[in-house]
Amino acid sequence: MRQIVTCLSISHLKTILESPGLDRILSGSSPESVGRALGTWLLGPNQAMRRLKCLITYDSFIEILERHPETIEGYRDTLEVVKTAMKYEFERSVIEGDESCGLIHGDFWSGNENAQFGHRAVDVSRILADLYKHSHFKGAATSIRVMKGFMDGYGSLSDKFAYRIAIHAGVHLICWYYRRDRNQPLLHPLPTVLAVLELGRDLILKAWRRDKSWLQITLLGPLFARKSLV
């Protein structure tokens, strides 16, 4: 654990995940330990940040899929319903006694700091999507182990909460598309990009339909494999 603390004290997680020496830095059980520590750690309303978060996620993900019509054909109606429902979360007021919402990071990934009011699934989904992105685009297999450790560290959760995480994670995977200079070519081959857009789309659709058996064999499987809380 001392090694992990030292690593994180001299460089943020994003730099470590993109390091050529990743397997050496996070060797043995370290990847799971980092993920578990993050999940354990992540247990006032800010309207401007909430509006911004909505703008770059739920106001954008269908627009992104439209750029590649094959990823949205036949799915638009359901995706529009999901968009409307999820946008409500960013507009709702604080509800006393609702433990699913509270002070969250808001943009919880490996290279940022933030805080705002919102649904707790936003943070969980954001870091999981970011970790998967490192594996998908950069071949950083160790990040998948960090993901598993994170889900273990975050602990048990209800199916309702897990489905919400899957929906948000799907949107985050799609909205990665805009995290670049849009005037420049895609950063990766088109098939690689389409694969992550389609995965994000399917996570949204399957979670919205509560297709637990499908979700159990995905990158988010550990969220649905464990015995959930009532």
Side-chain angles (χ1 to χ4, degrees), residues 19 22 25 30-31 35 48 93 95-96 104 108 123 137 147 160 168 197 200 218 230:
S19 169
L22 174 62
I25 296 171
S30 294
S93 301
I95 300 177
E96 186 176 354
I104 63 172
F108 187 58
D123 281 346
F137 291 114
M147 283 181 63
K160 181 179 179 181
H168 286 312
L197 293 182
T218 69
V230 176

PDB file of all heavy atoms in Angstrom, residues 19 22 25 30-31 35 48 93 95-96 104 108 123 137 147 160 168 197 200 218 230:
ATOM      1  N   SER A  19       1.348   5.336 -18.380  1.00  0.00           N
ATOM      2  CA  SER A  19       2.791   5.138 -18.308  1.00  0.00           C
ATOM      3  C   SER A  19       3.207   3.836 -18.978  1.00  0.00           C
ATOM      4  O   SER A  19       2.551   2.801 -18.810  1.00  0.00           O
ATOM      5  CB  SER A  19       3.240   5.128 -16.843  1.00  0.00           C
ATOM      6  OG  SER A  19       4.582   4.699 -16.745  1.00  0.00           O
ATOM      7  N   LEU A  22       3.482   0.827 -16.628  1.00  0.00           N
ATOM      8  CA  LEU A  22       2.288   0.602 -15.811  1.00  0.00           C
ATOM      9  C   LEU A  22       2.341  -0.725 -15.068  1.00  0.00           C
ATOM     10  O   LEU A  22       2.072  -0.794 -13.873  1.00  0.00           O
ATOM     11  CB  LEU A  22       1.041   0.662 -16.689  1.00  0.00           C
ATOM     12  CG  LEU A  22      -0.293   0.311 -16.015  1.00  0.00           C
ATOM     13  CD1 LEU A  22      -0.597   1.289 -14.899  1.00  0.00           C
ATOM     14  CD2 LEU A  22      -1.414   0.318 -17.042  1.00  0.00           C
ATOM     15  N   ILE A  25       4.771  -0.400 -12.197  1.00  0.00           N
ATOM     16  CA  ILE A  25       4.329   0.511 -11.139  1.00  0.00           C
ATOM     17  C   ILE A  25       3.214  -0.122 -10.314  1.00  0.00           C
ATOM     18  O   ILE A  25       3.208  -0.072  -9.086  1.00  0.00           O
ATOM     19  CB  ILE A  25       3.854   1.847 -11.744  1.00  0.00           C
ATOM     20  CG1 ILE A  25       5.026   2.551 -12.441  1.00  0.00           C
ATOM     21  CG2 ILE A  25       3.264   2.749 -10.658  1.00  0.00           C
ATOM     22  CD1 ILE A  25       4.610   3.759 -13.245  1.00  0.00           C
ATOM     23  N   SER A  30      -1.517  -4.623  -6.666  1.00  0.00           N
ATOM     24  CA  SER A  30      -1.664  -3.170  -6.604  1.00  0.00           C
ATOM     25  C   SER A  30      -2.836  -2.631  -7.415  1.00  0.00           C
ATOM     26  O   SER A  30      -3.537  -1.722  -6.952  1.00  0.00           O
ATOM     27  CB  SER A  30      -0.365  -2.486  -7.062  1.00  0.00           C
ATOM     28  OG  SER A  30       0.675  -2.754  -6.153  1.00  0.00           O
ATOM     29  N   PRO A  31      -3.103  -3.124  -8.653  1.00  0.00           N
ATOM     30  CA  PRO A  31      -4.233  -2.566  -9.408  1.00  0.00           C
ATOM     31  C   PRO A  31      -5.553  -2.694  -8.658  1.00  0.00           C
ATOM     32  O   PRO A  31      -6.332  -1.740  -8.569  1.00  0.00           O
ATOM     33  CB  PRO A  31      -4.238  -3.408 -10.691  1.00  0.00           C
ATOM     34  CG  PRO A  31      -2.822  -3.839 -10.858  1.00  0.00           C
ATOM     35  CD  PRO A  31      -2.334  -4.093  -9.457  1.00  0.00           C
ATOM     36  N   GLY A  35      -7.976   0.390  -7.118  1.00  0.00           N
ATOM     37  CA  GLY A  35      -9.409   0.465  -7.386  1.00  0.00           C
ATOM     38  C   GLY A  35     -10.222   0.375  -6.120  1.00  0.00           C
ATOM     39  O   GLY A  35     -11.196   1.110  -5.921  1.00  0.00           O
ATOM     40  N   ALA A  48     -24.540  25.452 -11.733  1.00  0.00           N
ATOM     41  CA  ALA A  48     -23.737  25.678 -12.940  1.00  0.00           C
ATOM     42  C   ALA A  48     -23.019  24.405 -13.365  1.00  0.00           C
ATOM     43  O   ALA A  48     -23.004  24.049 -14.551  1.00  0.00           O
ATOM     44  CB  ALA A  48     -22.735  26.803 -12.688  1.00  0.00           C
ATOM     45  N   SER A  93     -34.258  19.096  -7.572  1.00  0.00           N
ATOM     46  CA  SER A  93     -33.781  19.733  -6.345  1.00  0.00           C
ATOM     47  C   SER A  93     -33.373  18.664  -5.340  1.00  0.00           C
ATOM     48  O   SER A  93     -33.691  17.484  -5.488  1.00  0.00           O
ATOM     49  CB  SER A  93     -34.885  20.612  -5.753  1.00  0.00           C
ATOM     50  OG  SER A  93     -35.273  21.602  -6.671  1.00  0.00           O
ATOM     51  N   ILE A  95     -33.642  16.335  -2.389  1.00  0.00           N
ATOM     52  CA  ILE A  95     -34.779  15.722  -1.711  1.00  0.00           C
ATOM     53  C   ILE A  95     -34.289  15.120  -0.400  1.00  0.00           C
ATOM     54  O   ILE A  95     -33.443  14.236  -0.396  1.00  0.00           O
ATOM     55  CB  ILE A  95     -35.424  14.628  -2.581  1.00  0.00           C
ATOM     56  CG1 ILE A  95     -35.923  15.242  -3.899  1.00  0.00           C
ATOM     57  CG2 ILE A  95     -36.558  13.946  -1.829  1.00  0.00           C
ATOM     58  CD1 ILE A  95     -36.507  14.217  -4.847  1.00  0.00           C
ATOM     59  N   GLU A  96     -34.802  15.603   0.701  1.00  0.00           N
ATOM     60  CA  GLU A  96     -34.374  15.112   2.004  1.00  0.00           C
ATOM     61  C   GLU A  96     -34.671  13.622   2.138  1.00  0.00           C
ATOM     62  O   GLU A  96     -35.763  13.159   1.812  1.00  0.00           O
ATOM     63  CB  GLU A  96     -35.082  15.888   3.111  1.00  0.00           C
ATOM     64  CG  GLU A  96     -34.586  15.530   4.506  1.00  0.00           C
ATOM     65  CD  GLU A  96     -35.243  16.384   5.564  1.00  0.00           C
ATOM     66  OE1 GLU A  96     -35.984  17.323   5.206  1.00  0.00           O
ATOM     67  OE2 GLU A  96     -35.005  16.101   6.755  1.00  0.00           O
ATOM     68  N   ILE A 104     -21.338  14.969  -4.699  1.00  0.00           N
ATOM     69  CA  ILE A 104     -20.540  14.029  -5.469  1.00  0.00           C
ATOM     70  C   ILE A 104     -19.376  14.765  -6.113  1.00  0.00           C
ATOM     71  O   ILE A 104     -19.311  15.998  -6.127  1.00  0.00           O
ATOM     72  CB  ILE A 104     -21.375  13.338  -6.571  1.00  0.00           C
ATOM     73  CG1 ILE A 104     -21.886  14.366  -7.598  1.00  0.00           C
ATOM     74  CG2 ILE A 104     -22.537  12.573  -5.954  1.00  0.00           C
ATOM     75  CD1 ILE A 104     -22.554  13.762  -8.801  1.00  0.00           C
ATOM     76  N   PHE A 108     -15.655  12.401 -11.886  1.00  0.00           N
ATOM     77  CA  PHE A 108     -14.696  11.534 -11.204  1.00  0.00           C
ATOM     78  C   PHE A 108     -14.001  10.612 -12.191  1.00  0.00           C
ATOM     79  O   PHE A 108     -14.488   9.545 -12.516  1.00  0.00           O
ATOM     80  CB  PHE A 108     -15.444  10.720 -10.142  1.00  0.00           C
ATOM     81  CG  PHE A 108     -14.547   9.895  -9.257  1.00  0.00           C
ATOM     82  CD1 PHE A 108     -13.545  10.479  -8.519  1.00  0.00           C
ATOM     83  CD2 PHE A 108     -14.734   8.524  -9.151  1.00  0.00           C
ATOM     84  CE1 PHE A 108     -12.736   9.728  -7.688  1.00  0.00           C
ATOM     85  CE2 PHE A 108     -13.942   7.753  -8.326  1.00  0.00           C
ATOM     86  CZ  PHE A 108     -12.937   8.355  -7.594  1.00  0.00           C
ATOM     87  N   ASP A 123     -20.609   9.439 -10.348  1.00  0.00           N
ATOM     88  CA  ASP A 123     -19.187   9.269 -10.048  1.00  0.00           C
ATOM     89  C   ASP A 123     -18.707   7.862 -10.363  1.00  0.00           C
ATOM     90  O   ASP A 123     -17.659   7.664 -10.978  1.00  0.00           O
ATOM     91  CB  ASP A 123     -18.916   9.566  -8.570  1.00  0.00           C
ATOM     92  CG  ASP A 123     -18.840  11.055  -8.272  1.00  0.00           C
ATOM     93  OD1 ASP A 123     -18.731  11.842  -9.228  1.00  0.00           O
ATOM     94  OD2 ASP A 123     -18.882  11.417  -7.086  1.00  0.00           O
ATOM     95  N   PHE A 137      -8.647   1.784 -25.797  1.00  0.00           N
ATOM     96  CA  PHE A 137      -7.897   2.587 -26.753  1.00  0.00           C
ATOM     97  C   PHE A 137      -6.380   2.486 -26.602  1.00  0.00           C
ATOM     98  O   PHE A 137      -5.649   2.708 -27.566  1.00  0.00           O
ATOM     99  CB  PHE A 137      -8.307   4.059 -26.635  1.00  0.00           C
ATOM    100  CG  PHE A 137      -9.701   4.334 -27.107  1.00  0.00           C
ATOM    101  CD1 PHE A 137     -10.680   4.744 -26.226  1.00  0.00           C
ATOM    102  CD2 PHE A 137     -10.042   4.171 -28.444  1.00  0.00           C
ATOM    103  CE1 PHE A 137     -11.970   4.992 -26.652  1.00  0.00           C
ATOM    104  CE2 PHE A 137     -11.330   4.414 -28.889  1.00  0.00           C
ATOM    105  CZ  PHE A 137     -12.300   4.828 -27.998  1.00  0.00           C
ATOM    106  N   MET A 147     -10.529  -1.532 -12.395  1.00  0.00           N
ATOM    107  CA  MET A 147     -11.994  -1.473 -12.417  1.00  0.00           C
ATOM    108  C   MET A 147     -12.606  -2.476 -11.454  1.00  0.00           C
ATOM    109  O   MET A 147     -13.505  -2.149 -10.661  1.00  0.00           O
ATOM    110  CB  MET A 147     -12.521  -1.772 -13.827  1.00  0.00           C
ATOM    111  CG  MET A 147     -12.405  -0.658 -14.831  1.00  0.00           C
ATOM    112  SD  MET A 147     -13.097  -1.175 -16.434  1.00  0.00           S
ATOM    113  CE  MET A 147     -14.806  -1.435 -15.982  1.00  0.00           C
ATOM    114  N   LYS A 160     -31.242  -1.304  -8.720  1.00  0.00           N
ATOM    115  CA  LYS A 160     -31.642  -0.006  -9.264  1.00  0.00           C
ATOM    116  C   LYS A 160     -30.443   0.912  -9.421  1.00  0.00           C
ATOM    117  O   LYS A 160     -30.284   1.584 -10.450  1.00  0.00           O
ATOM    118  CB  LYS A 160     -32.682   0.648  -8.349  1.00  0.00           C
ATOM    119  CG  LYS A 160     -33.179   1.990  -8.836  1.00  0.00           C
ATOM    120  CD  LYS A 160     -34.227   2.567  -7.881  1.00  0.00           C
ATOM    121  CE  LYS A 160     -34.711   3.937  -8.364  1.00  0.00           C
ATOM    122  NZ  LYS A 160     -35.719   4.513  -7.436  1.00  0.00           N
ATOM    123  N   HIS A 168     -25.320   5.610 -17.063  1.00  0.00           N
ATOM    124  CA  HIS A 168     -24.362   6.718 -17.065  1.00  0.00           C
ATOM    125  C   HIS A 168     -23.042   6.306 -17.708  1.00  0.00           C
ATOM    126  O   HIS A 168     -22.432   7.090 -18.450  1.00  0.00           O
ATOM    127  CB  HIS A 168     -24.108   7.188 -15.631  1.00  0.00           C
ATOM    128  CG  HIS A 168     -25.238   7.965 -15.021  1.00  0.00           C
ATOM    129  ND1 HIS A 168     -25.870   8.999 -15.671  1.00  0.00           N
ATOM    130  CD2 HIS A 168     -25.838   7.870 -13.802  1.00  0.00           C
ATOM    131  CE1 HIS A 168     -26.823   9.497 -14.896  1.00  0.00           C
ATOM    132  NE2 HIS A 168     -26.815   8.832 -13.756  1.00  0.00           N
ATOM    133  N   LEU A 197     -18.610   3.217 -29.187  1.00  0.00           N
ATOM    134  CA  LEU A 197     -19.907   3.882 -29.292  1.00  0.00           C
ATOM    135  C   LEU A 197     -21.038   2.857 -29.177  1.00  0.00           C
ATOM    136  O   LEU A 197     -22.048   3.094 -28.498  1.00  0.00           O
ATOM    137  CB  LEU A 197     -20.021   4.628 -30.621  1.00  0.00           C
ATOM    138  CG  LEU A 197     -19.100   5.828 -30.832  1.00  0.00           C
ATOM    139  CD1 LEU A 197     -19.382   6.470 -32.190  1.00  0.00           C
ATOM    140  CD2 LEU A 197     -19.266   6.857 -29.731  1.00  0.00           C
ATOM    141  N   GLY A 200     -21.314   1.623 -25.572  1.00  0.00           N
ATOM    142  CA  GLY A 200     -22.000   2.624 -24.762  1.00  0.00           C
ATOM    143  C   GLY A 200     -23.497   2.608 -25.011  1.00  0.00           C
ATOM    144  O   GLY A 200     -24.303   2.622 -24.070  1.00  0.00           O
ATOM    145  N   THR A 218     -20.688  -8.281 -19.111  1.00  0.00           N
ATOM    146  CA  THR A 218     -19.996  -7.112 -19.635  1.00  0.00           C
ATOM    147  C   THR A 218     -18.916  -6.649 -18.668  1.00  0.00           C
ATOM    148  O   THR A 218     -18.696  -7.249 -17.617  1.00  0.00           O
ATOM    149  CB  THR A 218     -20.986  -5.950 -19.864  1.00  0.00           C
ATOM    150  OG1 THR A 218     -21.450  -5.472 -18.577  1.00  0.00           O
ATOM    151  CG2 THR A 218     -22.171  -6.398 -20.700  1.00  0.00           C
ATOM    152  N   VAL A 230     -31.585  -4.808  -1.043  1.00  0.00           N
ATOM    153  CA  VAL A 230     -32.997  -4.617  -1.370  1.00  0.00           C
ATOM    154  C   VAL A 230     -33.282  -3.131  -1.521  1.00  0.00           C
ATOM    155  O   VAL A 230     -32.791  -2.352  -0.710  1.00  0.00           O
ATOM    156  CB  VAL A 230     -33.889  -5.217  -0.265  1.00  0.00           C
ATOM    157  CG1 VAL A 230     -35.355  -4.925  -0.569  1.00  0.00           C
ATOM    158  CG2 VAL A 230     -33.644  -6.702  -0.150  1.00  0.00           C
TER     159      VAL A 230
END
